Amino acid sequence: MKVLVGYTADQRGAEAIELASALVAGTRDASLKIAIVLPASTPFNAVYPGGDHGFSTILSAQVDRWAAEALALVPEGIAVSVVARSVPSVAEGLISLGEEYGAHGIVLGGRKRHRAGFFSPGAIANELLHSSPMAVFMSSPASLATLRAANGKITRLTAFVGDRPGAREVIGLSARIAAACALPLRVATLISQAELANPEQELGDHLAKTRSYLEELTESLGLDAAIEVVSGQGLDEATAQLSWQDGDLALLGSARLAAPRRLFIGPKAQRILGQLNVPMGVIPTLGAAH
């Protein structure tokens, strides 16, 4: 598994490398490309360590130090290199580098931004969540605490799906990621009672039908997955009903209106992301050709 890390020389950059290392550890051809993106006003292209590979052979002393610090954070056994490049747009630069590298995803360090104490993506992450052709994985200090409690190892993958078309695709891709990382898979669906016309009469039947649908879907895909269907008065309360274990990774799919092979996070998924205190990722739609 190969991932691109959007690196900044601070705590968030270190957290991104920590999550990326956990994602690829133990996978086939585990490797990281650490990207240091610079403003377009800095005419700079380089790869470190190694030769120039067609880029400029001059590394500034500052970028040299950043690269060395980044490389030192990667555990042994994971192939890694650093690329530095000047870009007019950080998000577009990361997408371009990810495509060049053949990355399976882009990893960013996150941060809590005091929205009721919950995670909220920054500007770059938000742009990627609405345009990236590959999965985007994010962390926060609280989410990495759960990863560290599992000795830096991801222990389970939880795929969030709805009960509408698109669930099969999200489950299928999540299952492939889980298999590549040798992880058990959990499929979770959240039911907001506020969306039911008559919750008292409809809720029990709706929960049972949703569980049955997911069981049939996972069985048709040949998967051995745990299924959880939880409800609450609203989406926030339903999200809070889910239990988590140390080392959990949450995955959400793109909105159904997303262009093929592009991320476009919908309002429900964005709200769920804001409630999670585990590492998380959003995966693009694959399109009809897949």
Side-chain angles (χ1 to χ4, degrees):
M1 185 174 180
K2 301 195 297 184
V3 300
L4 181 84
V5 183
Y7 180 73
T8 51
D10 55 18
Q11 180 182 346
R12 282 185 295 153
E15 291 172 351
I17 291 177
E18 187 174 355
L19 174 57
S21 298
L23 279 170
V24 304
T27 66
R28 183 178 178 181
D29 300 324
S31 65
L32 304 180
K33 179 74 76 174
I34 299 173
I36 300 173
V37 288
L38 306 171
S41 58
T42 307
F44 191 91
N45 288 310
V47 172
Y48 178 95
D52 61 7
H53 300 285
F55 298 116
S56 169
T57 57
I58 299 176
L59 274 169
S60 73
Q62 182 63 69
V63 174
D64 191 17
R65 285 193 294 271
W66 289 340
E69 291 168 0
L71 290 168
L73 296 172
V74 180
E76 292 185 6
I78 298 175
V80 59
S81 64
V82 179
V83 59
R85 182 172 296 181
S86 299
V87 295
S89 161
V90 173
E92 290 178 8
L94 289 173
I95 289 172
S96 178
L97 286 167
E99 291 177 328
E100 289 179 23
Y101 179 51
H104 296 99
I106 299 172
V107 180
L108 301 174
R111 57 183 171 184
K112 289 193 173 182
R113 301 180 66 199
H114 309 295
R115 205 195 81 193
F118 293 111
F119 172 87
S120 181
I124 296 171
N126 198 52
E127 189 172 346
L128 287 172
L129 290 173
H130 291 86
S131 62
S132 176
M134 63 200 75
V136 174
F137 298 93
M138 298 164 289
S139 66
S140 67
S143 72
L144 282 180
T146 69
L147 184 62
R148 291 166 187 157
N151 297 316
K153 298 182 183 300
I154 296 173
T155 59
R156 181 176 63 177
L157 191 154
T158 295
F160 282 92
V161 298
D163 56 0
R164 299 177 183 178
R168 183 183 187 90
E169 185 175 286
V170 174
I171 293 172
L173 183 52
S174 298
R176 290 197 290 276
I177 296 173
C181 299
L183 298 172
L185 176 66
R186 176 174 67 161
V187 177
T189 293
L190 307 176
I191 305 296
S192 172
Q193 297 171 23
E195 296 181 359
L196 302 178
N198 192 330
E200 290 187 5
Q201 295 183 5
E202 298 177 23
L203 181 60
D205 185 53
H206 187 66
L207 291 174
K209 286 182 177 179
T210 301
R211 173 174 287 277
S212 177
Y213 166 72
L214 294 176
E215 289 174 344
E216 292 174 2
L217 188 52
T218 54
E219 184 178 346
S220 71
L221 290 168
L223 301 176
D224 180 16
I227 294 174
E228 291 193 35
V229 181
V230 297
S231 71
Q233 294 295 323
L235 195 60
D236 291 354
E237 184 177 301
T239 306
Q241 301 299 315
L242 274 179
S243 62
W244 297 93
Q245 66 184 36
D246 292 334
D248 259 320
L249 171 69
L251 279 186
L252 296 91
S254 293
R256 294 189 304 280
L257 296 180
R261 296 190 179 188
R262 290 282 168 177
L263 283 183
F264 190 89
I265 187 169
K268 285 188 177 180
Q270 195 144 20
R271 191 167 185 88
I272 293 170
L273 282 181
Q275 301 295 314
L276 300 181
N277 273 328
V278 296
M280 60 200 80
V282 182
I283 54 181
T285 179
L286 296 179
H290 295 265

